[in-house]
Amino acid sequence: MRKYLFIFLISFFSLNIFNTVANAQAQYVPFSHQLYQKFDRTLYSKDTRLHTSIKPLIIDSTLQPAYDSLMNLGVKDRNTWLGRKLFNEHLIDIKKEDYTFYADFLPDFQIARSFNEKRNPWTNTRGFQAGVTIGNNFSFYTSFYENQALFPDYVTDYIEKNKVIPGQFGKLYDQRTGRDQDWAYVTANISYTPIKYLNITLGYDKNFIGDGYRSLLLSDVSSPYTFLKLTGTLGNVKYMSMWTYMLDPFASRDSSTVTDIYNRDNMGDLGKWGAFQYLSWNVNNRLSLGLFQSILWAPKNAGGNRGFDVNYINPIIFLRPIETANSNSPDKVHIGATAKYKVLDNMSVYGQLLLGELYVKELFSSSGYINNKNAFQLGFRGFDAFGIENLNFLGEYNSARPYTYQHFTPITAYTNYNQPLAHILGANFREFVGRLNYSYRKFDFSFHGNFARYGSDPSDEINYGGNIFKSYENYVELYGNHIGQGLATDLTYLDLRAAYLINPKYNLRFEIGGVFRHEKNEIATNKTTLLNIGLRASFRNWYQDF
């Protein structure tokens, strides 16, 4: 209920600004790998010096031509209202000199055949989106989806274990017979730029930091959450400071309670606060560097009712008055760094490093010390591969040591609504990701593959460091820890899709695709092979490659 009240307040606030602000246009664009990779020619060109690692994007004058070109792809004059709405325009499309307003119906109707399960998974989603831009400094965006679906078994097993649709809103309204699901998903945000150096965003949505497909710092694989984000830009430096309120209704405040976090009967309104800072510096047109910090704390814990900690209002990165003064702080802290370098005119390399804890004397000892907790990413991406226009590519390696995102209490682990805030596999994994996308006129072809090895726990009582909802105080060994320890599992996931774009304004497309998934360890082998066909719209990311 509080979530919907918050979204109502955002809408009310936006309407009041609508009556008081005017001038030209700004554009908020929901984060979508499918859409954003089509900006690569501009974002990663050696002739531009853009900050590419903070997402979602607010379209500026540099990106506006590329965005307009995509939004008008294949559009031609239509004589009828139905023809314009179906192929060219938003369902409601108002454009004035000083403001715009649009709204769309967003269907997502899919039917598939899972050959191993001998069943037909399906998705039935009715959604809408609406957006307002006023002048150069204000935009408002909201979306809502009512969903029913029958998923492949591996997704359904995840849902029943974690009590959440992966990446969607956590509360399941109904779990009906046949293992099908019924849930809602909603986002809303206001973006306001009072001066050209500062943007203020208030929202219930997701955020992403990085240049890759995954982020080991902050990703969008979990459910939406409430946040206030300040982003300042001065010359070649961009600085983001964000405060969040998240829910983990299945987590425990007591480090001794691990297995109960999956008990629906114990579900309570367990919330936590977060403070995130990220500094991006474009050294020149080719090289970019970044620094990252995150702090999570619980307003209620075993020590009592703490409430919001005003010390974390301070937006300066690495300046933590409580953490400095109190070495026994109950808060979860991560620091990290990013880098990007445009090695070729059409290719960039990028990387991330995240540190949970670091003991330098143990770092080079090869002893597998438990408290050397870190995650690492290295990747490359580009456009016009082999001289083929609109052939985009990405290759990426990700790894996270055991126990990296755990904390001594599950409520302050690096999680949101029983899902990771960074990588979808949690920790204790290595992964390779490859992606290709080719567009020809209104046809779009894509390939996605990831190959991972991760270590899981043979039982709830054992903690090998992959399940980040467990307390790191309940470890197996102090030394000798390595990636893949525990029940070593190999995962292969391949996804091939072809689509025909019907309306670029809200990404209405006819899509056909196939998925192959193979998961194997010494206990069991799970295999999923399916073909799916659908009429789909929207630009949301929905990860099921786990």
Side-chain angles (χ1 to χ4, degrees), residues 503-523:
N503 190 322
K505 297 297 191 298
Y506 51 100
N507 200 21
L508 179 66
R509 63 199 186 275
F510 176 77
E511 184 177 272
I512 184 170
V515 170
F516 173 79
R517 179 185 183 273
H518 187 265
E519 183 184 43
K520 182 179 180 180
N521 55 45
E522 64 181 20
I523 295 178

Side-chain angles (χ1 to χ4, degrees), residues 396-416:
E396 186 173 289
Y397 169 78
N398 299 291
S399 69
R401 284 184 51 79
Y403 309 100
T404 294
Y405 297 101
Q406 290 185 358
H407 204 213
F408 59 81
T409 55
I411 185 62
T412 45
Y414 205 58
T415 60
N416 168 49

Side-chain angles (χ1 to χ4, degrees), residues 191-246:
S191 175
Y192 181 54
T193 307
I195 57 175
K196 67 178 182 178
Y197 306 107
L198 175 66
N199 175 264
I200 304 170
T201 301
L202 174 66
Y204 181 80
D205 207 339
K206 306 179 183 185
N207 294 273
F208 188 99
I209 294 178
D211 288 288
Y213 173 71
R214 307 287 196 191
S215 175
L216 302 177
L217 306 180
L218 179 63
S219 79
D220 62 334
V221 302
S222 74
S223 300
Y225 46 85
T226 304
F227 67 89
L228 173 65
K229 179 167 61 176
L230 307 181
T231 306
T233 305
L234 185 61
N236 296 321
V237 176
K238 176 171 282 192
Y239 186 73
M240 182 206 77
S241 191
M242 179 173 67
W243 298 268
T244 68
Y245 183 73
M246 301 175 178

Side-chain angles (χ1 to χ4, degrees), residues 15 21 40-41 50 95 202 237 254 281 325 436 461:
L15 291 175
V21 182
D40 280 4
R41 181 178 285 102
L50 299 175
K95 296 180 180 179
L202 174 66
V237 176
D254 185 350
W281 175 33
L436 289 171
E461 290 74 29

